[in-house]
Amino acid sequence: MKTKTILRLAGACMAALLFLAGAAMAQQGSESAGRQIFDAANQARRAQGLGRLKWNEGLARAAQQHAAAMARAGFLSHQLPGEPGLEVRASHAGVYFISLSENVAQGPDAGDISDQWAKSPEHRQNLLDPDMNAIGVGVAERDGQLFAVEDFAKIKPPAPLP
């Protein structure tokens, strides 16, 4: 092979590796932000003498899908055009619930987003609802901004076996 061809191939390989590394770091950053938001939610509840929210994978899947959809659209909404509502998203993710609520926000980092929710009466009410016992968090990044979703549920207990 000619030297120019080898250099082009090496450059293309390096660009692909950098892209993959950047994508992995963005995903890791989103996961870390999600964990920080989860921890902040339970700290806020503990400060008010409320029970800890348990992590729910189904709620997390629903929240992550919605966060990603908001990031793609570039704006916040509890239901984007053509997207099912929260109840349907949670049901499709396998969540059996009695009640649900949701917080959405956009900000530069997890701390800013948690502060937004703590300072907003409506979002704080969802966060501190004593009936809720489960949470799922989703975070997606777009242009340096995080789009975050907290889905809360009062999980329906399993039906007793006959």
Side-chain angles (χ1 to χ4, degrees):
M1 271 193 213
K2 293 185 178 180
T3 304
K4 286 183 182 179
T5 304
I6 292 172
L7 289 175
R8 276 191 219 132
L9 286 172
C13 289
M14 181 61 87
L17 287 173
L18 289 173
F19 173 79
L20 292 173
M25 287 175 62
Q27 181 179 358
Q28 186 178 33
S30 294
E31 290 172 4
S32 174
R35 179 61 192 209
Q36 290 172 26
I37 290 168
F38 171 70
D39 290 342
N42 276 317
Q43 286 175 333
R45 289 177 64 86
R46 186 175 37 245
Q48 297 299 313
L50 297 170
R52 180 175 171 74
L53 295 168
K54 293 181 184 170
W55 184 260
N56 182 281
E57 282 299 323
L59 286 173
R61 275 192 305 279
Q64 185 59 47
Q65 289 170 356
H66 187 56
M70 288 190 308
R72 281 191 304 275
F75 67 91
L76 296 177
S77 177
H78 287 284
Q79 185 175 2
L80 296 166
E83 181 186 39
L86 173 59
E87 293 83 6
V88 173
R89 292 192 312 261
S91 292
H92 285 173
V95 180
Y96 298 97
F97 57 88
I98 296 169
S99 59
L100 291 168
S101 64
E102 179 176 73
N103 289 343
V104 299
Q106 176 184 348
D109 57 52
D112 177 79
I113 289 168
S114 293
D115 287 346
Q116 288 180 49
W117 287 330
K119 292 175 182 172
S120 161
E122 296 85 9
H123 294 102
R124 188 169 173 78
Q125 182 178 354
N126 288 341
L127 178 64
L128 300 179
D129 185 338
D131 287 336
M132 298 299 179
N133 59 14
I135 186 174
V137 176
V139 179
E141 186 270 337
R142 178 183 175 154
D143 299 331
Q145 286 289 300
L146 299 180
F147 289 78
V149 178
E150 283 181 319
D151 285 342
F152 303 97
K154 180 175 183 179
I155 298 296
K156 185 185 289 188
L161 297 174

